[in-house]
Amino acid sequence: MKLIILDRDGVINFDSDEYVKSVDEWIPLPGSIEAIARLTKAGWQVAIATNQSGIARGYFDLSTLDAMHDKLATLLTPLGGKIDKIEFCPHGPDVSCDCRKPLPGMFRTIADHYGLADLSGIPVVGDSLRDLEAGMQLGATPYLVKTGKGERTIAKGSLPQGTIVCDDLAAVVDALLTE
Ligand SMILES: O=P(O)(O)OC[C@@H](O)[C@H]1O[C@@H](OP(=O)(O)O)[C@@H](O)[C@@H](O)[C@@H]1O
Ligand SMILES: [Mg+2]
Ligand SMILES: [Zn+2]
């Protein structure tokens, strides 16, 4: 199945150590909107799995999160792009939920949505180790991008074996569409 699961902050849009707290702060990374549109037009289902602890921390609310995702959809539609499913974890690190990456809960939900027993052969794209670890628990193929926290993730070392490192989401899409 042509399904890809993207982390959001640092992969699709600029991330911030102060969190992305408003629609105005949600700014797409160069080439990311076009990259998602290329995937959609090539028949891929595009899903997002994102930690949004800023909600638990009180930095923004669900309606603001929805508005960010409406902005994403508005940018994608004219280019023929589409996000098919967005899973988010609104919880903080002190809540023992099963959806906060690196736990695999969001990825399990996405796999179930598409009727998949696991995510073998499905690319998961992230800028943080937890993004990759979460998807790999269901067999996904890890792609690390250098945008967002990606360079910091690389500098920390201990990338999972088999991780494919790409400059950005556009480079990941180049690799997938030329396979
Ligand atoms: O990269 P995704 O999963 O789409 O979203 C990450 C964000 O929710 C925020 O996650 C926070 O981590 P903590 O939740 O405080 O551990 C920090 O890393 C923030 O800089 C970052 O903006
Ligand atoms: Mg991220
Ligand atoms: Zn959660």
Side-chain angles (χ1 to χ4, degrees), residues 21-175:
K21 303 180 290 299
S22 68
V23 177
D24 287 346
E25 289 179 5
W26 192 95
I27 301 168
L29 283 157
S32 68
I33 300 298
E34 296 79 0
I36 295 170
R38 286 168 60 205
L39 285 169
T40 304
K41 289 185 286 189
W44 286 70
Q45 303 291 314
V46 183
I48 292 173
T50 179
N51 284 355
Q52 290 301 324
S53 70
I55 291 174
R57 300 171 192 277
Y59 297 158
F60 52 92
D61 59 17
L62 284 171
S63 65
T64 299
L65 187 69
D66 286 343
M68 292 179 200
H69 298 158
D70 289 346
K71 181 175 180 179
L72 171 56
T74 301
L75 291 169
L76 282 169
T77 302
L79 300 183
K82 182 171 178 280
I83 298 293
D84 302 282
K85 182 160 185 58
I86 299 178
E87 284 297 312
F88 64 89
C89 165
H91 308 112
D94 52 348
V95 170
S96 57
C97 70
D98 65 3
C99 47
R100 177 176 163 84
K101 295 177 285 187
L103 292 175
M106 291 190 281
F107 293 83
R108 180 70 266 162
T109 301
I110 291 169
D112 292 346
H113 176 77
Y114 290 102
L116 300 173
D118 58 42
L119 295 177
S120 300
I122 303 293
V124 169
V125 185
D127 64 323
S128 299
L129 183 59
R130 68 187 187 189
D131 305 325
L132 310 184
E133 290 172 329
M136 290 179 78
Q137 287 171 64
L138 278 85
T141 304
Y143 285 76
L144 183 87
V145 290
K146 295 180 180 176
T147 51
K149 293 184 171 66
E151 294 284 10
R152 276 188 251 176
T153 302
I154 293 168
K156 285 178 189 166
S158 68
L159 282 181
Q161 190 171 8
T163 300
I164 300 157
V165 178
C166 293
D167 285 342
D168 54 20
L169 180 56
V172 172
V173 173
D174 287 344

